[in-house]
Amino acid sequence: MNLTLRIWRQKDSNAKGQMVDYKVTDISEHMSFLEMMDVLNEQLVNSGEEPVAFDHDCREGICGMCSLYINGEAHGPDRGVTTCQLHMRMFKDGDTITIEPWRAAAFPVIKDLIVDRMAFERIQHAGGYISVNTSGNTQDANSLPISKIAADEAMDAATCIGCGACVATCKNSSAMLFVGAKVSQYALLPQGQVEAAERVKNMVAQMDLEGFGNCTNTGACEVECPKGISLDNIARMNRELMKAALK
């Protein structure tokens, strides 16, 4: 395939960015999207130009690092995949592909397509953990019976990889799907009950402090989430917050 790539270029967080067009040729439909970006960068380096900066790590849909807004969709036109799992067979020969970073005030651009997602880390640090005795007298996990339904729902919530697609695709730049998933994975299990009230209050407070918007239930976040995190987790987070406020 021969393609035109319209890519956001920005030298640093203080510079003014702009869209720049590039041509790439002989792109195989079997390439992943990031492999296609590698081809472009090799072409730029060989011609003495600055390569396009973009986030990536595992390239297996696990780490949540890859975060490109492709043709107006977080992670591109496919569903249930991250950018690194997106393949070029989703595009046609001659296509123009627009590639941008996540757009949210809480995710400032560092360079080109890389954004600072430390806001998610700070939310996690505010309460996304449990205190466990690791002195050698740790309780055996099997001594706490948990229903299959609760275990499955907790695992579904825990599959969130923190990529930020929910924020990027939301018209309000809301992080409630992310926070809802992180609250839910503990709220559903007995190990998470001790700190449940403080956890949800602290994480929601940090989310608001970071400047994320509120949820208006359009559901775009669930559609674009590569792990299919359900809106039910937002409802659960709201219930946990109401219970915490009444204590």
Side-chain angles (χ1 to χ4, degrees), residues 67 69 74-75 101-108 115-117 119-120 123 160 162-179 207 210-214 218 220-222 224-226 234:
S67 49
Y69 208 67
H75 293 303
W102 288 166
R103 300 291 190 184
F107 288 163
V115 299
D116 182 354
R117 283 173 289 182
F120 272 10
I123 293 171
C160 170
C163 66
C166 51
V167 175
T169 198
C170 177
K171 63 181 182 180
N172 306 318
S173 297
S174 173
M176 290 186 76
L177 191 68
F178 167 77
V179 180
M207 174 184 71
E210 296 293 344
F212 292 105
N214 211 332
T218 58
C221 55
E222 182 178 349
E224 299 286 2
C225 175
I234 296 178

Side-chain angles (χ1 to χ4, degrees), residues 7-244:
I7 301 177
W8 181 260
R9 301 302 308 264
Q10 185 172 337
K11 185 177 180 180
D12 54 48
S13 58
N14 297 316
K16 183 178 180 180
Q18 63 178 346
M19 302 300 292
V20 179
D21 287 357
Y22 300 98
K23 302 284 187 182
V24 288
T25 59
D26 297 325
I27 299 297
S28 168
E29 64 176 9
H30 303 299
M31 283 183 179
S32 72
F33 197 86
L34 295 190
E35 286 172 336
M36 181 275 295
M37 292 293 293
D38 291 337
V39 170
L40 169 65
N41 276 345
E42 184 176 1
Q43 176 180 306
L44 291 175
V45 169
N46 289 339
S47 62
E49 298 180 61
E50 182 78 12
V52 177
F54 62 92
D55 264 333
H56 63 95
D57 192 359
C58 74
R59 298 202 178 198
E60 294 179 347
I62 298 170
C63 69
M65 286 293 290
C66 56
S67 49
L68 303 181
Y69 208 67
I70 303 165
N71 285 349
E73 296 180 273
H75 293 303
D78 209 350
R79 289 291 172 266
V81 299
T82 55
T83 301
C84 62
Q85 295 173 302
L86 178 67
H87 282 80
M88 296 311 297
R89 54 179 169 268
M90 298 299 296
F91 303 94
K92 300 184 185 70
D93 182 41
D95 275 357
T96 295
I97 304 174
T98 301
I99 309 169
E100 302 171 86
W102 288 166
R103 300 291 190 184
F107 288 163
V109 174
I110 296 174
K111 182 177 182 180
D112 293 340
L113 302 174
I114 299 176
V115 299
D116 182 354
R117 283 173 289 182
M118 282 301 295
F120 272 10
E121 297 296 326
R122 290 188 288 270
I123 293 171
Q124 191 78 352
H125 291 170
Y129 54 83
I130 59 172
S131 298
V132 177
N133 181 357
T134 57
S135 64
N137 298 315
T138 308
Q139 190 174 16
D140 187 271
N142 292 328
S143 66
L144 293 173
I146 300 170
S147 73
K148 179 70 163 58
I149 293 174
D152 286 348
E153 289 182 346
M155 182 59 73
D156 288 344
T159 60
C160 170
I161 57 176
C163 66
C166 51
V167 175
T169 198
C170 177
K171 63 181 182 180
N172 306 318
S173 297
S174 173
M176 290 186 76
L177 191 68
F178 167 77
V179 180
K182 298 306 178 184
V183 167
S184 290
Q185 72 181 76
Y186 299 113
L188 286 159
L189 301 175
Q191 293 92 334
Q193 298 308 308
V194 176
E195 297 149 319
E198 289 304 309
R199 175 184 302 112
V200 68
K201 286 192 293 185
N202 291 343
M203 293 183 77
V204 170
Q206 187 65 39
M207 174 184 71
D208 292 339
L209 186 64
E210 296 293 344
F212 292 105
N214 211 332
C215 174
T216 49
N217 297 308
T218 58
C221 55
E222 182 178 349
V223 173
E224 299 286 2
C225 175
K227 299 302 177 181
I229 303 297
S230 172
L231 288 174
D232 291 345
N233 292 292
I234 296 178
R236 184 177 295 107
M237 179 188 71
N238 288 332
R239 290 195 298 272
E240 290 291 317
L241 187 60
M242 288 179 67
K243 285 194 297 183

